[in-house]
Amino acid sequence: MLRRFIAYVLDWYIMYFIMNLILVISYYIQEVIIVSNLIPIQYFNSRTQIQILSILCVFFIVYTCVLPLLWDGKTIGKKICKIKVKSLGKLTFTQLVVRNLFGIVILEGCLNPLSNYIRNVFLLYVSRDLVQYMVYFSAFIGIVSIICMFVTPKKKMIHDLISKTEVGVI
């Protein structure tokens, strides 16, 4: 479990860094000013926010779904920690999308950088209260998922259970 946690932290940092880099580049394109700090997605107008969010989603899918297909179930963090995502059969793109985009971002989204950007863009269209309930829901599901990791025989979290995957040592 420690390896899994360290891999998650490494992957989170890599994704957050690159996602913020995308925002900084977008800011530069819009303002022609180079900045070295964090740029909130709310800075941009609604149309640009949706465009940037689309780019962030593509990056997320490439990093968490395409890369593991090419690297035998590993992201950079998992590769460093010598663990990988496994399946009973051949690991599929669909399993990785269900695991990462639906399971981790949508359901357990309390600790994922893409989830935060999605919620901020949602604020353009729904009430702040609804977004706050989304945060509570994802935090609750995230806690349940962590509990699942401690009580299931193969240390599976909710996103592992719904995608029929598991994380194991190489």
PDB file of all heavy atoms in Angstrom, residues 12 16 22 31 34 45 48-49 58 64 67 79 85 87 90 97 111 116 120 123 125 139:
ATOM      1  N   TRP A  12       0.193  12.277  -9.262  1.00  0.00           N
ATOM      2  CA  TRP A  12      -0.594  13.479  -9.004  1.00  0.00           C
ATOM      3  C   TRP A  12       0.253  14.719  -9.271  1.00  0.00           C
ATOM      4  O   TRP A  12      -0.197  15.643  -9.940  1.00  0.00           O
ATOM      5  CB  TRP A  12      -1.077  13.481  -7.546  1.00  0.00           C
ATOM      6  CG  TRP A  12      -1.965  14.655  -7.230  1.00  0.00           C
ATOM      7  CD1 TRP A  12      -3.321  14.693  -7.301  1.00  0.00           C
ATOM      8  CD2 TRP A  12      -1.541  15.964  -6.820  1.00  0.00           C
ATOM      9  NE1 TRP A  12      -3.772  15.950  -6.957  1.00  0.00           N
ATOM     10  CE2 TRP A  12      -2.705  16.747  -6.655  1.00  0.00           C
ATOM     11  CE3 TRP A  12      -0.308  16.552  -6.572  1.00  0.00           C
ATOM     12  CZ2 TRP A  12      -2.662  18.081  -6.257  1.00  0.00           C
ATOM     13  CZ3 TRP A  12      -0.259  17.886  -6.177  1.00  0.00           C
ATOM     14  CH2 TRP A  12      -1.425  18.628  -6.021  1.00  0.00           C
ATOM     15  N   TYR A  16      -0.540  17.400 -12.095  1.00  0.00           N
ATOM     16  CA  TYR A  16      -0.840  18.760 -11.665  1.00  0.00           C
ATOM     17  C   TYR A  16       0.140  19.752 -12.299  1.00  0.00           C
ATOM     18  O   TYR A  16      -0.257  20.815 -12.764  1.00  0.00           O
ATOM     19  CB  TYR A  16      -0.804  18.861 -10.141  1.00  0.00           C
ATOM     20  CG  TYR A  16      -1.298  20.188  -9.645  1.00  0.00           C
ATOM     21  CD1 TYR A  16      -2.659  20.477  -9.636  1.00  0.00           C
ATOM     22  CD2 TYR A  16      -0.410  21.161  -9.206  1.00  0.00           C
ATOM     23  CE1 TYR A  16      -3.125  21.704  -9.198  1.00  0.00           C
ATOM     24  CE2 TYR A  16      -0.857  22.387  -8.765  1.00  0.00           C
ATOM     25  CZ  TYR A  16      -2.232  22.656  -8.760  1.00  0.00           C
ATOM     26  OH  TYR A  16      -2.674  23.875  -8.339  1.00  0.00           O
ATOM     27  N   ILE A  22      -0.178  23.796 -18.872  1.00  0.00           N
ATOM     28  CA  ILE A  22      -1.156  24.050 -19.938  1.00  0.00           C
ATOM     29  C   ILE A  22      -1.905  25.355 -19.661  1.00  0.00           C
ATOM     30  O   ILE A  22      -2.117  26.167 -20.574  1.00  0.00           O
ATOM     31  CB  ILE A  22      -2.134  22.855 -20.078  1.00  0.00           C
ATOM     32  CG1 ILE A  22      -1.387  21.641 -20.648  1.00  0.00           C
ATOM     33  CG2 ILE A  22      -3.338  23.223 -20.951  1.00  0.00           C
ATOM     34  CD1 ILE A  22      -2.132  20.323 -20.550  1.00  0.00           C
ATOM     35  N   GLU A  31      -2.742  36.591 -22.948  1.00  0.00           N
ATOM     36  CA  GLU A  31      -2.277  37.880 -22.426  1.00  0.00           C
ATOM     37  C   GLU A  31      -0.891  38.289 -22.918  1.00  0.00           C
ATOM     38  O   GLU A  31      -0.479  39.414 -22.681  1.00  0.00           O
ATOM     39  CB  GLU A  31      -2.263  37.850 -20.894  1.00  0.00           C
ATOM     40  CG  GLU A  31      -3.608  37.564 -20.265  1.00  0.00           C
ATOM     41  CD  GLU A  31      -4.607  38.682 -20.467  1.00  0.00           C
ATOM     42  OE1 GLU A  31      -4.190  39.855 -20.576  1.00  0.00           O
ATOM     43  OE2 GLU A  31      -5.812  38.376 -20.526  1.00  0.00           O
ATOM     44  N   ILE A  34       4.351  36.209 -19.558  1.00  0.00           N
ATOM     45  CA  ILE A  34       4.867  34.971 -18.974  1.00  0.00           C
ATOM     46  C   ILE A  34       4.723  35.063 -17.457  1.00  0.00           C
ATOM     47  O   ILE A  34       5.143  36.050 -16.845  1.00  0.00           O
ATOM     48  CB  ILE A  34       6.341  34.747 -19.359  1.00  0.00           C
ATOM     49  CG1 ILE A  34       6.466  34.572 -20.870  1.00  0.00           C
ATOM     50  CG2 ILE A  34       6.917  33.552 -18.624  1.00  0.00           C
ATOM     51  CD1 ILE A  34       7.886  34.475 -21.366  1.00  0.00           C
ATOM     52  N   ASN A  45     -12.368  33.197 -19.788  1.00  0.00           N
ATOM     53  CA  ASN A  45     -13.797  33.283 -20.072  1.00  0.00           C
ATOM     54  C   ASN A  45     -14.369  31.877 -20.260  1.00  0.00           C
ATOM     55  O   ASN A  45     -13.619  30.909 -20.402  1.00  0.00           O
ATOM     56  CB  ASN A  45     -14.077  34.189 -21.283  1.00  0.00           C
ATOM     57  CG  ASN A  45     -13.532  33.626 -22.585  1.00  0.00           C
ATOM     58  OD1 ASN A  45     -13.690  32.442 -22.894  1.00  0.00           O
ATOM     59  ND2 ASN A  45     -12.885  34.480 -23.359  1.00  0.00           N
ATOM     60  N   THR A  48     -13.212  29.700 -23.279  1.00  0.00           N
ATOM     61  CA  THR A  48     -11.817  29.284 -23.134  1.00  0.00           C
ATOM     62  C   THR A  48     -11.676  28.237 -22.036  1.00  0.00           C
ATOM     63  O   THR A  48     -10.889  27.298 -22.174  1.00  0.00           O
ATOM     64  CB  THR A  48     -10.926  30.515 -22.843  1.00  0.00           C
ATOM     65  OG1 THR A  48     -11.139  31.485 -23.869  1.00  0.00           O
ATOM     66  CG2 THR A  48      -9.462  30.142 -22.792  1.00  0.00           C
ATOM     67  N   GLN A  49     -12.444  28.368 -20.953  1.00  0.00           N
ATOM     68  CA  GLN A  49     -12.396  27.359 -19.889  1.00  0.00           C
ATOM     69  C   GLN A  49     -12.760  25.976 -20.428  1.00  0.00           C
ATOM     70  O   GLN A  49     -12.102  24.986 -20.103  1.00  0.00           O
ATOM     71  CB  GLN A  49     -13.360  27.722 -18.751  1.00  0.00           C
ATOM     72  CG  GLN A  49     -12.851  28.793 -17.831  1.00  0.00           C
ATOM     73  CD  GLN A  49     -13.772  29.017 -16.655  1.00  0.00           C
ATOM     74  OE1 GLN A  49     -14.328  28.073 -16.108  1.00  0.00           O
ATOM     75  NE2 GLN A  49     -13.937  30.265 -16.250  1.00  0.00           N
ATOM     76  N   VAL A  58      -7.912  15.431 -22.371  1.00  0.00           N
ATOM     77  CA  VAL A  58      -7.118  14.641 -23.325  1.00  0.00           C
ATOM     78  C   VAL A  58      -5.782  14.264 -22.691  1.00  0.00           C
ATOM     79  O   VAL A  58      -5.354  13.104 -22.751  1.00  0.00           O
ATOM     80  CB  VAL A  58      -6.910  15.408 -24.652  1.00  0.00           C
ATOM     81  CG1 VAL A  58      -5.863  14.734 -25.527  1.00  0.00           C
ATOM     82  CG2 VAL A  58      -8.239  15.532 -25.401  1.00  0.00           C
ATOM     83  N   THR A  64      -3.128   8.587 -18.088  1.00  0.00           N
ATOM     84  CA  THR A  64      -3.631   7.515 -17.228  1.00  0.00           C
ATOM     85  C   THR A  64      -4.193   6.309 -17.980  1.00  0.00           C
ATOM     86  O   THR A  64      -4.404   5.267 -17.358  1.00  0.00           O
ATOM     87  CB  THR A  64      -4.727   8.035 -16.272  1.00  0.00           C
ATOM     88  OG1 THR A  64      -5.849   8.480 -17.043  1.00  0.00           O
ATOM     89  CG2 THR A  64      -4.198   9.144 -15.384  1.00  0.00           C
ATOM     90  N   LEU A  67      -0.750   5.738 -21.753  1.00  0.00           N
ATOM     91  CA  LEU A  67       0.573   5.394 -21.240  1.00  0.00           C
ATOM     92  C   LEU A  67       0.604   4.012 -20.590  1.00  0.00           C
ATOM     93  O   LEU A  67       1.490   3.210 -20.894  1.00  0.00           O
ATOM     94  CB  LEU A  67       1.067   6.475 -20.274  1.00  0.00           C
ATOM     95  CG  LEU A  67       2.497   6.375 -19.788  1.00  0.00           C
ATOM     96  CD1 LEU A  67       3.480   6.456 -20.946  1.00  0.00           C
ATOM     97  CD2 LEU A  67       2.787   7.489 -18.784  1.00  0.00           C
ATOM     98  N   LYS A  79       5.782   3.115 -12.445  1.00  0.00           N
ATOM     99  CA  LYS A  79       7.051   2.566 -12.932  1.00  0.00           C
ATOM    100  C   LYS A  79       8.159   2.787 -11.895  1.00  0.00           C
ATOM    101  O   LYS A  79       8.937   1.877 -11.602  1.00  0.00           O
ATOM    102  CB  LYS A  79       7.410   3.201 -14.275  1.00  0.00           C
ATOM    103  CG  LYS A  79       8.536   2.529 -14.999  1.00  0.00           C
ATOM    104  CD  LYS A  79       8.680   3.151 -16.394  1.00  0.00           C
ATOM    105  CE  LYS A  79       9.742   2.478 -17.181  1.00  0.00           C
ATOM    106  NZ  LYS A  79       9.253   1.437 -18.066  1.00  0.00           N
ATOM    107  N   VAL A  85      -0.944  -1.624 -12.967  1.00  0.00           N
ATOM    108  CA  VAL A  85      -2.353  -1.990 -13.004  1.00  0.00           C
ATOM    109  C   VAL A  85      -2.444  -3.286 -13.792  1.00  0.00           C
ATOM    110  O   VAL A  85      -1.859  -3.409 -14.868  1.00  0.00           O
ATOM    111  CB  VAL A  85      -3.193  -0.890 -13.685  1.00  0.00           C
ATOM    112  CG1 VAL A  85      -4.652  -1.317 -13.797  1.00  0.00           C
ATOM    113  CG2 VAL A  85      -3.076   0.423 -12.932  1.00  0.00           C
ATOM    114  N   SER A  87      -5.075  -6.776 -14.969  1.00  0.00           N
ATOM    115  CA  SER A  87      -6.419  -7.257 -15.228  1.00  0.00           C
ATOM    116  C   SER A  87      -6.373  -8.776 -15.295  1.00  0.00           C
ATOM    117  O   SER A  87      -5.298  -9.361 -15.457  1.00  0.00           O
ATOM    118  CB  SER A  87      -6.904  -6.671 -16.556  1.00  0.00           C
ATOM    119  OG  SER A  87      -8.162  -7.182 -16.894  1.00  0.00           O
ATOM    120  N   LYS A  90      -6.144  -9.395 -20.738  1.00  0.00           N
ATOM    121  CA  LYS A  90      -5.321  -8.294 -21.237  1.00  0.00           C
ATOM    122  C   LYS A  90      -5.962  -6.973 -20.802  1.00  0.00           C
ATOM    123  O   LYS A  90      -7.158  -6.777 -20.952  1.00  0.00           O
ATOM    124  CB  LYS A  90      -5.233  -8.376 -22.763  1.00  0.00           C
ATOM    125  CG  LYS A  90      -4.362  -7.316 -23.388  1.00  0.00           C
ATOM    126  CD  LYS A  90      -4.228  -7.563 -24.887  1.00  0.00           C
ATOM    127  CE  LYS A  90      -3.563  -6.430 -25.610  1.00  0.00           C
ATOM    128  NZ  LYS A  90      -2.266  -6.047 -25.177  1.00  0.00           N
ATOM    129  N   VAL A  97     -10.189   3.601 -18.885  1.00  0.00           N
ATOM    130  CA  VAL A  97     -11.076   4.770 -18.886  1.00  0.00           C
ATOM    131  C   VAL A  97     -12.073   4.663 -17.734  1.00  0.00           C
ATOM    132  O   VAL A  97     -12.296   5.630 -17.000  1.00  0.00           O
ATOM    133  CB  VAL A  97     -11.797   4.931 -20.243  1.00  0.00           C
ATOM    134  CG1 VAL A  97     -12.925   5.946 -20.148  1.00  0.00           C
ATOM    135  CG2 VAL A  97     -10.815   5.360 -21.320  1.00  0.00           C
ATOM    136  N   LEU A 111      -9.437  14.012  -4.612  1.00  0.00           N
ATOM    137  CA  LEU A 111      -7.990  14.206  -4.605  1.00  0.00           C
ATOM    138  C   LEU A 111      -7.363  14.094  -5.983  1.00  0.00           C
ATOM    139  O   LEU A 111      -6.246  13.627  -6.125  1.00  0.00           O
ATOM    140  CB  LEU A 111      -7.338  13.170  -3.667  1.00  0.00           C
ATOM    141  CG  LEU A 111      -7.690  13.304  -2.202  1.00  0.00           C
ATOM    142  CD1 LEU A 111      -7.105  12.155  -1.400  1.00  0.00           C
ATOM    143  CD2 LEU A 111      -7.230  14.633  -1.645  1.00  0.00           C
ATOM    144  N   ASN A 116     -10.893  18.861  -9.862  1.00  0.00           N
ATOM    145  CA  ASN A 116     -10.992  20.250  -9.420  1.00  0.00           C
ATOM    146  C   ASN A 116     -11.283  21.169 -10.605  1.00  0.00           C
ATOM    147  O   ASN A 116     -12.127  22.067 -10.506  1.00  0.00           O
ATOM    148  CB  ASN A 116      -9.705  20.653  -8.715  1.00  0.00           C
ATOM    149  CG  ASN A 116      -9.821  22.014  -8.086  1.00  0.00           C
ATOM    150  OD1 ASN A 116     -10.796  22.331  -7.433  1.00  0.00           O
ATOM    151  ND2 ASN A 116      -8.818  22.841  -8.307  1.00  0.00           N
ATOM    152  N   ASN A 120     -14.686  23.450 -11.206  1.00  0.00           N
ATOM    153  CA  ASN A 120     -14.613  24.898 -11.424  1.00  0.00           C
ATOM    154  C   ASN A 120     -15.321  25.321 -12.703  1.00  0.00           C
ATOM    155  O   ASN A 120     -15.942  26.373 -12.750  1.00  0.00           O
ATOM    156  CB  ASN A 120     -13.161  25.366 -11.427  1.00  0.00           C
ATOM    157  CG  ASN A 120     -12.601  25.459 -10.032  1.00  0.00           C
ATOM    158  OD1 ASN A 120     -13.210  26.046  -9.159  1.00  0.00           O
ATOM    159  ND2 ASN A 120     -11.459  24.857  -9.808  1.00  0.00           N
ATOM    160  N   LEU A 123     -19.092  25.391 -12.283  1.00  0.00           N
ATOM    161  CA  LEU A 123     -19.596  26.593 -11.625  1.00  0.00           C
ATOM    162  C   LEU A 123     -20.159  27.601 -12.621  1.00  0.00           C
ATOM    163  O   LEU A 123     -20.937  28.479 -12.252  1.00  0.00           O
ATOM    164  CB  LEU A 123     -18.500  27.249 -10.779  1.00  0.00           C
ATOM    165  CG  LEU A 123     -18.203  26.577  -9.451  1.00  0.00           C
ATOM    166  CD1 LEU A 123     -16.956  27.173  -8.817  1.00  0.00           C
ATOM    167  CD2 LEU A 123     -19.393  26.678  -8.515  1.00  0.00           C
ATOM    168  N   TYR A 125     -22.218  26.812 -14.884  1.00  0.00           N
ATOM    169  CA  TYR A 125     -23.534  26.348 -15.312  1.00  0.00           C
ATOM    170  C   TYR A 125     -24.454  25.916 -14.179  1.00  0.00           C
ATOM    171  O   TYR A 125     -25.659  25.814 -14.379  1.00  0.00           O
ATOM    172  CB  TYR A 125     -23.366  25.171 -16.291  1.00  0.00           C
ATOM    173  CG  TYR A 125     -22.483  25.553 -17.447  1.00  0.00           C
ATOM    174  CD1 TYR A 125     -21.151  25.154 -17.491  1.00  0.00           C
ATOM    175  CD2 TYR A 125     -22.959  26.351 -18.478  1.00  0.00           C
ATOM    176  CE1 TYR A 125     -20.333  25.530 -18.547  1.00  0.00           C
ATOM    177  CE2 TYR A 125     -22.143  26.739 -19.530  1.00  0.00           C
ATOM    178  CZ  TYR A 125     -20.830  26.318 -19.548  1.00  0.00           C
ATOM    179  OH  TYR A 125     -20.024  26.711 -20.587  1.00  0.00           O
ATOM    180  N   ALA A 139     -15.742  13.178  -1.689  1.00  0.00           N
ATOM    181  CA  ALA A 139     -14.934  12.943  -0.477  1.00  0.00           C
ATOM    182  C   ALA A 139     -15.437  11.701   0.252  1.00  0.00           C
ATOM    183  O   ALA A 139     -14.635  10.863   0.688  1.00  0.00           O
ATOM    184  CB  ALA A 139     -14.978  14.162   0.440  1.00  0.00           C
TER     185      ALA A 139
END
